[in-house]
Amino acid sequence: MAGCWPDLLRMAGSLKYGQATASLIVGKWSAASRQNTLAAALKEWGMLRRTVHLAKYLSDPAFRRKISRQLNKGESLHALRRDLHYAQQGTITRPHLEQQTEQAWCLTLLTNAVVAWTTEYYSRAVLELRSQGRDVPDEILSHISPGHSDNINFFGVINVDVEAELAKLDTSGWRPLRPAQLRELGLTP
């Protein structure tokens, strides 16, 4: 592997500076013969990195918690997508590939809208708490995931009085935060 080190660095540089894509490199190495020394060195490098990662994971409880937290955030996002897709019982129902792709893109768009809305209101709530003198450490915020669905009505008909809802908006066009819920959670005095 040491003899291939300059070539591995050149490949990494090509990836970093956009001269080649990861899919192109993976395709080239997949098609390479088994005797290709650079492909063998890359495979050994991958095994070495996995070993280092596994050793760190097994020896460092804080690292394990960080990995677990990230997995939980990913799972909450998958749960949100499942909940949003529940009306079709979580199945792609369109017969043609183009329609299936369109259905998947719509689900992605809806998921992103929910995450963006939740993230924006989380940040507004944090700013409000901080303006009231509350200590909200950034360390705690790193544990929060906007991929939840507690604030979404998935079933039934939703009747919206548009004029009444528009009247509730502040001058910047935002809905007011709900201080009653903050009190219930113990976040306000």
Side-chain angles (χ1 to χ4, degrees):
M1 185 169 86
C4 296
W5 189 248
D7 292 329
L8 288 173
L9 289 177
R10 191 172 18 266
M11 182 185 61
S14 296
L15 283 170
K16 181 175 182 177
Y17 295 110
Q19 301 299 319
T21 63
S23 60
L24 174 69
I25 289 175
V26 168
K28 293 289 184 186
W29 293 131
S30 298
S33 70
R34 294 187 188 269
Q35 281 72 29
N36 186 318
T37 56
L38 190 55
L42 190 59
K43 187 175 180 180
E44 284 183 39
W45 177 254
M47 289 188 294
L48 179 65
R49 293 299 305 156
R50 278 192 302 275
T51 302
V52 168
H53 176 78
L54 184 59
K56 184 177 179 183
Y57 182 83
L58 292 173
S59 66
D60 187 356
F63 186 65
R64 282 196 302 272
R65 282 192 300 275
K66 179 181 176 184
I67 297 292
S68 180
R69 203 169 39 244
Q70 291 300 321
L71 289 172
N72 288 342
K73 287 180 183 179
E75 286 303 316
S76 71
L77 192 58
H78 290 305
L80 172 64
R81 289 178 63 85
R82 251 189 329 273
D83 290 344
L84 290 171
H85 204 240
Y86 184 74
Q88 298 293 334
Q89 287 78 38
T91 59
I92 301 289
T93 57
R94 304 295 183 193
H96 302 294
L97 179 61
E98 183 178 317
Q99 294 171 328
Q100 292 171 359
T101 304
E102 184 178 296
Q103 187 176 358
W105 277 113
C106 288
L107 178 60
T108 299
L109 178 65
L110 184 57
T111 304
N112 290 347
V114 169
V115 168
W117 186 91
T118 305
T119 302
E120 188 61 39
Y121 274 92
Y122 276 169
S123 68
R124 291 179 53 78
V126 168
L127 288 174
E128 178 69 23
L129 289 171
R130 287 179 174 165
S131 73
Q132 295 172 1
R134 297 286 306 223
D135 180 33
V136 183
D138 289 335
E139 195 342 85
I140 290 177
L141 297 178
S142 69
H143 297 277
I144 296 174
S145 171
H148 65 82
S149 58
D150 298 341
N151 55 339
I152 300 171
N153 178 2
F154 293 105
F155 306 103
V157 176
I158 302 171
N159 295 315
V160 177
D161 182 356
V162 176
E163 294 301 322
E165 291 299 319
L166 288 174
K168 293 179 187 176
L169 301 180
D170 64 14
T171 57
S172 301
W174 295 102
R175 292 179 56 181
L177 298 174
R178 300 178 193 152
Q181 286 184 339
L182 294 176
R183 277 192 296 278
E184 290 171 10
L185 294 172
L187 297 174
T188 60

